[in-house]
Amino acid sequence: MSLEVVYEGKRRCETRFKDLAWFATDAPARYGGREEEGSPTDLVAAALGSCILTVLSTLAEPQGINVNGAAATVRKEMTDGRPRRISRLTLDIRVPVTVTDAQRAAFEAGVHACPVKQSLHPDIEVVLNFRWGA
């Protein structure tokens, strides 16, 4: 798998996947960006949320549990100092089904193996808050 990332000027990049325009990113306004699109670090937050929901589905669906409609609100916090980096990602995960306590514990433990989470620097705090039957 490969992506093509092209700098478009004024702190904006466009990422292309399989010859399709996929998405753009902007730097925050304080860094000269337009702030019309999400930032590159916003993509890290989005990647974590989508990865966790995908892993949840791979754990639940073989057991006949449909998690369609599951959603995650991701809050990203950045450091104030240098180097500027993500310091904390908090995910509020809503799963629209009710499961047993044992299933819930297994699913919640299993999503920690998400490849994106495993790729994050260990100094980034990741907080996962689940709400089942929501």
Side-chain angles (χ1 to χ4, degrees), residues 19-33:
D19 297 326
L20 302 170
W22 194 16
F23 57 82
T25 57
D26 282 330
R30 70 179 168 270
Y31 297 113

Side-chain angles (χ1 to χ4, degrees), residues 29 35 39 45-46 53 56 66 80 93 117 128 133:
E35 213 168 287
S39 72
L53 293 176
L56 175 64
N66 182 339
D80 290 327
I93 303 161
K117 183 176 183 300
L128 305 179

Side-chain angles (χ1 to χ4, degrees), residues 48 52 73-75 77 87-93 112 117 124-130:
L48 179 61
I52 284 178
T73 300
V74 186
R75 290 184 306 282
E77 297 172 44
S87 60
R88 180 180 176 145
L89 294 165
T90 303
L91 288 80
D92 294 322
I93 303 161
H112 287 278
K117 183 176 183 300
I124 298 175
E125 181 182 3
V126 176
V127 178
L128 305 179
N129 302 312
F130 285 87

Side-chain angles (χ1 to χ4, degrees), residues 64-127:
I65 300 168
N66 182 339
V67 293
N68 288 359
T73 300
V74 186
R75 290 184 306 282
K76 176 190 75 175
E77 297 172 44
M78 302 288 293
T79 61
D80 290 327
R82 296 281 182 213
R84 186 116 167 100
R85 65 174 185 79
I86 298 169
S87 60
R88 180 180 176 145
L89 294 165
T90 303
L91 288 80
D92 294 322
I93 303 161
R94 298 169 308 285
V95 188
V97 296
T98 303
V99 295
T100 68
D101 290 343
Q103 288 170 318
R104 184 183 47 172
F107 295 156
E108 290 182 13
V111 299
H112 287 278
C114 150
V116 173
K117 183 176 183 300
Q118 294 303 311
S119 299
L120 294 173
H121 191 283
D123 288 349
I124 298 175
E125 181 182 3
V126 176
V127 178

Side-chain angles (χ1 to χ4, degrees), residues 1-5 15-23:
M1 192 288 300
S2 67
L3 300 171
E4 180 76 14
V5 182
T15 300
R16 297 180 183 119
F17 175 69
K18 294 186 178 181
D19 297 326
L20 302 170
W22 194 16
F23 57 82

